[in-house]
Amino acid sequence: FKSFSCDFSTSRLALAAVNSKNEVPSTKLYINGEFIESSTDRWIPLYNPATNDMITKVPETTTEELKAAAETAAEAFKTWRKTSVLTRQRAMLDLQLLIRQNMDKLARSITEEQGKTFADAKGDVLRGLQVVENACGIPSSLLGETLEVSTDMDTFTIRQPLGVTAGICPFNFPAMIPLWMFPLSIAAGNTMIIKPSERDPGAMMLLAELAAEAGIPKGVLNVVHGSVDAVNFICDNEHIKAISFVGSDAAGKYIHARGSANGKRVQANLGAKNHGVILPDANKNHTLNQLAGAAFGAAGQRCMALSTIVFVGETQEWLQDLVERAKKLKVTGGFEPDADLGPLISPQAKERVERLIQSGVDQGAKLLLDGRNPTVPEKYKKGNFVGPTILANVETHMECYKEEIFGPVLVCLSVDTLDEAIELINKNPYGNGTAIFTNSGSSARYFSLNIDVGQVGVNIPIPVPLPMFSFTGSRGSIQGDVNFYGKSGLQFYTQTKTVTSLWRKEDVMSNRAAVNMPTMR
Ligand code: NAD
């Protein structure tokens, strides 16, 4: 497994920032209702990706602290489990209001630590907030089923919480992804330990403050930090019954295998390579605007970024117009009012994206727009910026097609028919999201039914489902079989109990024991 030290190796620029500041505030742990300073001697430096100034240090939580988090969550479960569903609904109602009131504060933390634009950061919070709003309906969504089997027999099902659950989060949606996890789990009666990404835990810390203010009792929600050791603890700890993971392939497969081997439920959403298919009958202007936004927004660091375009037939002639739109996007620090895309998360991510662009060129793709070394204002000269980049004539054997680039790089392929486009997409190992642009209902339906991908958009480039539905995934983009939020999410965080009861009015006259399997006829 790749060592973490390479991810956090301090660049020369970053070191300079640390030295000139000497000390930065540390990120706290949230255990048993207290925000506490870790006693660790291992800290992960966290840099503002737009400047590479160090802004906080994140603890590698010690084993004792991790144990305390698990034990406090197990203890809190005993009482939280006994609260009425209306109490838990009330907590969600208060939490959603507090998140709405603190939207800007949360978004500021995201822009500072993750780099995305302030407007986009608010979208990150909003999409998570929608899950909290949906969790406010917990009394209805937890309803079970009941059947009068016969005049003296009833069967009913109820959904009961599991106990302690855990969430392991990626860096790219510091608010939305933790909010996919803890509100639903807690509303269903579980307790939870969240490990946000060590690269941007600030939004989750603010959410923990808001959860406390919303009256979620101590120990019900806990936040720990770190990387491999914290993750291994979560996979192995006896109190933890279920793990939600969102992130890269390697970590997700590892966590799924290790957590499952320890008898836990694991849901894991992994990497992506999302294709957009353009049919000649699509509305050209709408399509090009959507493509440019979906490929380059958030600097391409969305699991649903539309990073690959499959032009069908003559639509490849639209490429030059797409290049013109991409050129107009402003690359700068996320707090600048005119920013369209901010920096990548780290110098290592920037180097990797630049290397993949070069690999495309070396393998014969045509570089129509080169975003390497974009012009940015002086104060962002040390940031991890890459501008919109478009590679045309890409073929499926090229590294830039095979890898999830996770940067503002659009790779373009061409085919002659819709069937060829479907075949190409279904051959790609990933199955996270896809979109088709067309004015033909029958083509859209044919595509939607025959494509082996979790999220499908028709004239919508980033079809992240609303929270009454579920975020799914297919093939290489998912491990485990129960999805995030919506009905599936609730299913993941609860177990079903089926109760069958027999109530006879008259005394049974027979004195012989019934040894055969009850057939309930
Ligand atoms: P990442 O896998 O590096 O990190 C995710 C989490 O796993 C972090 O909390 C990290 O501490 C932990 N982790 C990382 N490496 C580990 C290891 N070797 N052992 C144990 N734990 C480890 O992912 P990231 O770079 O933060 O996020 C980007 C990735 O997430 C992209 O691949 C993106 O497609 C994916 N993603 C997927 C979805 C989805 O729903 N399919 C949503 C968002 C992001």
Side-chain angles (χ1 to χ4, degrees):
F1 237 75
K2 81 175 177 190
S3 143
F4 261 73
S5 55
C6 65
D7 276 346
F8 303 115
S9 61
T10 42
S11 68
R12 276 170 199 281
L13 299 176
L15 269 176
V18 181
N19 292 341
S20 66
K21 286 201 170 161
N22 286 329
E23 206 41 90
V24 292
S26 58
T27 295
K28 304 286 184 283
L29 302 168
Y30 181 60
I31 298 176
N32 202 19
E34 306 283 339
F35 289 90
I36 51 173
E37 176 90 7
S38 172
S39 61
T40 189
D41 55 6
R42 293 189 299 148
W43 294 91
I44 301 161
L46 191 154
Y47 305 100
N48 177 335
T51 58
N52 272 311
D53 287 339
M54 186 175 170
I55 46 181
T56 183
K57 52 179 188 171
V58 181
E60 286 276 9
T61 312
T62 66
T63 309
E64 289 66 36
E65 289 160 348
L66 290 165
K67 274 190 193 151
E71 276 157 23
T72 198
E75 198 53 35
F77 177 66
K78 293 180 189 158
T79 44
W80 185 242
R81 200 232 165 296
K82 290 185 189 146
T83 54
S84 87
V85 71
L86 299 176
T87 301
R88 303 195 305 263
Q89 178 189 39
R90 169 51 50 201
M92 291 302 131
L93 284 163
D94 291 347
L95 180 62
Q96 66 79 25
L97 180 64
L98 287 164
I99 292 174
R100 198 169 283 283
Q101 288 169 342
N102 288 276
M103 174 79 76
D104 283 5
K105 198 171 168 190
L106 285 156
R108 265 198 301 279
S109 156
I110 293 173
T111 300
E112 194 180 21
E113 292 189 356
Q114 198 273 355
K116 65 177 74 174
T117 68
F118 187 54
D120 198 33
K122 284 197 237 182
D124 186 331
V125 181
L126 186 74
R127 291 312 304 260
L129 172 61
Q130 289 169 343
V131 181
V132 187
E133 289 169 341
N134 188 254
C136 294
I138 194 75
S140 313
S141 43
L142 260 190
L143 277 176
E145 294 174 329
T146 180
L147 178 71
E148 181 192 279
V149 180
S150 64
T151 53
D152 53 8
M153 183 180 283
D154 299 308
T155 298
F156 66 90
T157 64
I158 48 176
R159 308 200 68 95
Q160 296 192 309
L162 305 173
V164 183
T165 58
I168 302 169
C169 307
F171 81 85
N172 64 333
F173 281 98
M176 180 183 84
I177 300 231
L179 288 169
W180 281 8
M181 301 173 179
F182 79 82
L184 214 48
S185 172
I186 285 175
N190 300 290
T191 56
M192 190 143 211
I193 301 169
I194 292 278
K195 194 204 82 61
S197 171
E198 61 279 21
R199 302 194 251 185
D200 49 21
M204 183 58 222
M205 296 318 293
L206 291 171
L207 289 169
E209 278 177 31
L210 301 180
E213 210 179 322
I216 292 172
K218 59 183 190 175
V220 171
L221 174 67
N222 303 277
V223 187
V224 299
H225 302 291
S227 45
V228 179
D229 290 349
V231 166
N232 285 344
F233 177 89
I234 289 171
C235 291
D236 297 345
N237 181 262
E238 60 189 10
H239 293 298
I240 296 170
K241 305 292 179 228
I243 304 172
S244 299
F245 169 84
V246 178
S248 65
D249 296 355
K253 286 180 186 163
Y254 172 73
I255 290 165
H256 183 263
R258 188 159 174 161
S260 303
N262 285 321
K264 303 181 197 312
R265 291 184 180 190
V266 185
Q267 55 175 184
N269 274 11
L270 317 179
K273 191 84 178 174
N274 308 309
H275 298 64
V277 175
I278 322 298
L279 296 191
D281 62 7
N283 177 318
K284 184 175 171 187
N285 208 29
H286 169 81
T287 303
L288 293 179
N289 286 336
Q290 298 293 313
L291 293 184
F296 307 121
Q301 297 179 121
R302 291 182 182 133
C303 68
M304 289 287 283
L306 208 58
S307 55
T308 308
I309 298 300
V310 185
F311 289 101
V312 179
E314 70 261 26
T315 60
Q316 56 181 302
E317 289 157 21
W318 299 4
L319 244 174
Q320 201 46 47
D321 287 341
L322 186 61
V323 172
E324 294 312 316
R325 275 177 175 73
K327 274 185 190 163
K328 288 189 191 136
L329 296 173
K330 179 87 177 169
V331 185
T332 184
F335 285 115
E336 301 302 326
D338 57 346
D340 289 310
L341 49 153
L344 294 170
I345 188 71
S346 64
Q348 293 80 9
K350 176 177 180 248
E351 276 163 32
R352 180 177 169 277
V353 168
E354 288 173 342
R355 182 181 62 72
L356 283 165
I357 296 171
Q358 190 54 43
S359 79
V361 175
D362 294 345
Q363 291 185 307
K366 194 167 168 195
L367 188 59
L368 293 184
L369 184 63
D370 188 355
R372 290 172 291 184
N373 305 312
T375 310
V376 290
E378 189 56 36
K379 61 177 166 174
Y380 300 124
K381 283 278 187 260
K382 293 177 184 169
N384 316 317
F385 292 94
V386 175
T389 299
I390 299 182
L391 284 163
N393 301 348
V394 169
E395 292 177 17
T396 53
H397 65 85
M398 296 179 185
E399 207 186 344
C400 65
Y401 176 77
K402 291 200 279 193
E403 288 277 317
E404 178 184 33
I405 300 179
F406 227 54
V409 182
L410 183 64
V411 301
C412 303
L413 297 88
S414 300
V415 296
D416 293 327
T417 65
L418 176 56
D419 276 322
E420 283 175 63
I422 292 173
E423 195 187 334
L424 187 147
I425 298 170
N426 285 347
K427 268 193 192 153
N428 188 283
Y430 289 112
N432 198 42
T434 188
I436 185 167
F437 292 85
T438 177
N439 271 317
S440 157
S442 61
S443 299
R445 187 171 190 280
Y446 181 75
F447 178 80
S448 305
L449 297 188
N450 289 290
I451 207 74
D452 187 2
V453 171
Q455 273 72 227
V456 183
V458 176
N459 298 320
I460 291 180
I462 304 192
V464 175
L466 286 168
M468 56 297 276
F469 299 96
S470 297
F471 192 100
T472 73
S474 184
R475 300 179 284 139
S477 292
I478 192 163
Q479 296 248 303
D481 47 20
V482 187
N483 300 125
F484 281 82
Y485 64 81
K487 283 184 190 155
S488 288
L490 211 49
Q491 193 185 335
F492 183 75
Y493 292 126
T494 56
Q495 54 191 347
T496 306
K497 184 177 279 179
T498 311
V499 180
T500 300
S501 27
L502 178 69
W503 298 104
R504 291 237 154 103
K505 259 200 152 324
E506 314 81 37
D507 222 6
V508 178
M509 297 310 289
S510 166
N511 56 5
R512 193 176 153 72
V515 291
N516 294 337
M517 181 71 188
T519 52
M520 297 181 187
R521 283 213 265 182

